[in-house]
Amino acid sequence: MINEQTWEFVRQHATDDVRKLALQGTKDADVDMPMALQQIVGRQTALKKLPSWAAHDAIVYPPHLNMEQCSSEQTARYKAQLAGQGDKYVDLTGGFGVDFYWMSQGFKERVYVEQNEQLCAISTENFRTLGLACSVCCCDTATYLTTQLDHADVIYLDPARRDEHGARTYDIADCSPNVLELLPQLLSKSRRVILKLSPMLDWRKAVTDLECVSEVHIISVNNECKELVLVLTPDQSETINLYCVNNDNVFPIVRSLRTVSPTPSDCESEAFGLNARSLLSYDVRFLYEPNASIMKAGCFDVLEDRFAVRQVAVNSHLFLSADEIDDFPGRGFQIMTVSSMNKRELKEALSGIEKANIAVRNFPLSVEQLRKKLKLKDGGDVYIFATTRANGEHSLFICRKIG
């Protein structure tokens, strides 16, 4: 698909600025410039997103949109654990083939299905380069599922989350293919269906819409929520296993299907109703911020059940403790002081502090507005959490990071 002159241009300019290359062009008429730029951008993206693939010079990269939409190597490796092992694995929305490559490793027969001819050609070449034995079928999802698939141990789908005009979509019914329409066939032809959805989608709504979810995996990388992955099985159980993942940290939660919505804690500690000046006298010395996957799950009551913490307030999503907790799924901070928004208190609490990292939770000012009000620069080793306490008081927790 790519001639040697184009490959040589890619190798020579692998680390160059693509925008400058596009303006400069090339005098060699044999160089396919659009394809060369596509490969250079793809390689530069893969260095961070797909390091194992980036190590192969012969990998062919697709257009930017496909690179943007494909899973990272880290999330694909995690999903490979969900896929497990078996006789046959089928990916009905193959795309660039990243998920397929890692998730199909434990299976004797591997089938990649994709309706885009260019992606099929690229993936065929890449699988050959990577030494993955598999079948590539250029076909749309519904046709393959209806006419060519008898049975598979695992079926995987990552529906396209853009409409015909290119705008982003999030709801299951608005994605392509519409999994809700295909669901009866999917469940009748496999033991498990693994479904990747937008991290913007409410997992409770997805569970309600699909009615056959056994596992929910909220996957974050470096505290940024990347994927919502559901495992569907023909037999519905009474509970759902929810996994909040951030890098190598996995926090499991079991929820009854009858109460999939979280139940916020309504038993606030008496100490947290006191004013800011009195709070530390009750030996509350540490503040904890849940990671992005926990925040997405919304199961804050579980944190209170498992750790010696209590929420600052129901809508703050910040937790206080008298003790340092080594295995809390999130970031921990030692509280230096707590201040109200009183000018005199603020002046005393911020004495000697010129810059800080500021976050707001259930607070009337934005980060920018609060930074301007406090006259602080960004950065440093001081962290300020602005929130509204259970008694309605606006408070600033001034901290240093631990662990």
Side-chain angles (χ1 to χ4, degrees):
M1 294 186 294
I2 304 176
N3 62 34
E4 182 54 36
Q5 292 85 347
T6 302
W7 275 126
E8 182 59 30
F9 184 90
V10 171
R11 287 190 286 268
Q12 291 177 359
H13 300 279
T15 60
D16 291 356
D17 187 318
V18 176
R19 290 170 295 183
K20 291 182 180 180
L21 287 175
L23 292 173
Q24 294 170 357
T26 178
K27 296 180 180 179
D28 189 342
D30 291 327
V31 173
D32 183 342
M33 197 62 181
M35 178 59 75
L37 296 176
Q38 178 178 307
Q39 297 311 303
I40 294 170
V41 171
R43 286 189 177 198
Q44 292 175 355
T45 301
L47 285 172
K48 293 182 178 180
K49 195 171 186 178
L50 304 167
S52 294
W53 285 23
H56 292 269
D57 287 341
I59 291 292
V60 180
Y61 295 99
H64 173 71
L65 180 60
N66 300 112
M67 282 298 294
E68 180 186 78
Q69 292 178 337
C70 78
S71 296
S72 68
E73 179 174 331
Q74 186 168 344
T75 60
R77 286 182 181 275
Y78 177 82
K79 284 175 288 186
Q81 301 174 53
L82 308 185
Q85 300 178 339
D87 291 323
K88 187 173 183 177
Y89 174 90
V90 177
D91 186 332
L92 290 176
T93 54
F96 182 37
V98 174
D99 282 329
F100 178 78
Y101 174 74
W102 270 284
M103 294 178 69
S104 68
Q105 294 284 345
F107 294 81
K108 298 176 183 177
E109 183 180 357
R110 313 174 185 99
V111 182
Y112 163 102
V113 181
E114 170 58 51
Q115 63 182 354
N116 183 300
E117 292 184 6
Q118 183 186 29
L119 287 176
C120 281
I122 289 174
S123 296
T124 298
E125 186 69 20
N126 289 340
F127 296 150
R128 185 182 299 115
T129 297
L130 295 166
L132 183 71
C134 63
S135 299
V136 173
C137 180
C138 191
C139 182
D140 71 89
T141 299
T143 299
Y144 182 87
L145 179 63
T146 302
T147 64
Q148 299 188 47
L149 180 61
D150 295 324
H151 189 270
D153 294 294
V154 174
I155 295 176
Y156 177 72
L157 297 98
D158 177 9
R161 293 184 288 277
R162 290 183 183 273
D163 62 21
E164 57 185 6
H165 305 294
R168 292 183 183 273
T169 58
Y170 305 110
D171 197 73
I172 298 175
D174 295 330
C175 295
S176 178
N178 183 348
V179 176
L180 296 178
E181 295 178 348
L182 302 177
L183 195 56
Q185 288 190 75
L186 290 169
L187 293 174
S188 68
K189 293 188 175 185
S190 82
R191 293 188 296 105
R192 278 183 301 153
V193 176
I194 301 178
L195 178 62
K196 174 184 170 183
L197 299 170
S198 167
M200 300 296 293
L201 186 64
D202 186 338
W203 68 269
R204 304 166 195 81
K205 184 179 187 305
V207 168
T208 301
D209 289 346
L210 293 165
E211 297 182 346
C212 54
V213 179
S214 60
E215 297 177 15
V216 175
H217 298 259
I218 302 173
I219 306 174
S220 294
V221 176
N222 297 329
N223 209 30
E224 182 180 352
C225 196
K226 294 292 188 180
E227 298 179 8
L228 174 64
V229 177
L230 308 182
V231 178
L232 286 59
T233 53
D235 300 322
Q236 181 66 70
S237 65
E238 290 297 316
T239 59
I240 284 186
N241 293 312
L242 174 63
Y243 299 89
C244 298
V245 182
N246 183 54
N247 296 340
D248 295 329
N249 183 283
V250 181
F251 187 76
I253 301 170
V254 178
R255 282 290 190 199
S256 168
L257 276 178
R258 293 187 294 273
T259 57
V260 292
S261 59
T263 305
S265 172
D266 59 0
C267 45
E268 296 288 339
S269 168
E270 181 183 353
F272 302 164
L274 299 176
N275 62 51
R277 301 288 290 180
S278 305
L279 185 63
L280 294 185
S281 64
Y282 279 72
D283 201 28
V284 175
R285 300 293 177 180
F286 297 94
L287 179 145
Y288 292 91
E289 179 189 39
N291 65 41
S293 291
I294 298 284
M295 296 287 280
K296 175 69 177 178
C299 300
F300 304 113
D301 57 316
V302 177
L303 296 177
E304 293 189 332
D305 290 341
R306 296 192 192 177
F307 304 99
V309 296
R310 286 297 175 91
Q311 291 194 66
V312 173
V314 171
N315 295 317
S316 72
H317 310 324
L318 296 171
F319 293 80
L320 302 179
S321 173
D323 303 310
E324 185 174 349
I325 303 170
D326 293 333
D327 57 346
F328 187 88
R331 299 191 298 171
F333 302 85
Q334 184 169 12
I335 302 172
M336 297 189 294
T337 189
V338 183
S339 174
S340 70
M341 294 301 290
N342 177 276
K343 288 185 178 180
R344 184 177 298 175
E345 284 190 33
L346 283 175
K347 183 176 181 180
E348 179 181 341
L350 298 175
S351 176
I353 299 175
E354 297 182 353
K355 57 183 180 179
N357 305 277
I358 298 177
V360 296
R361 299 283 187 274
N362 189 30
F363 195 75
L365 299 180
S366 67
V367 170
E368 293 75 16
Q369 291 170 330
L370 181 58
R371 186 179 301 283
K372 184 176 180 181
K373 183 178 180 66
L374 300 180
K375 299 178 182 178
L376 295 175
K377 297 178 181 178
D378 187 25
D381 60 356
V382 175
Y383 290 77
I384 297 177
F385 292 89
T387 189
T388 303
R389 304 253 304 288
N391 60 0
E393 180 182 358
H394 301 316
S395 298
L396 301 185
F397 289 81
I398 302 168
C399 315
R400 292 189 189 278
K401 196 173 182 181
I402 59 174

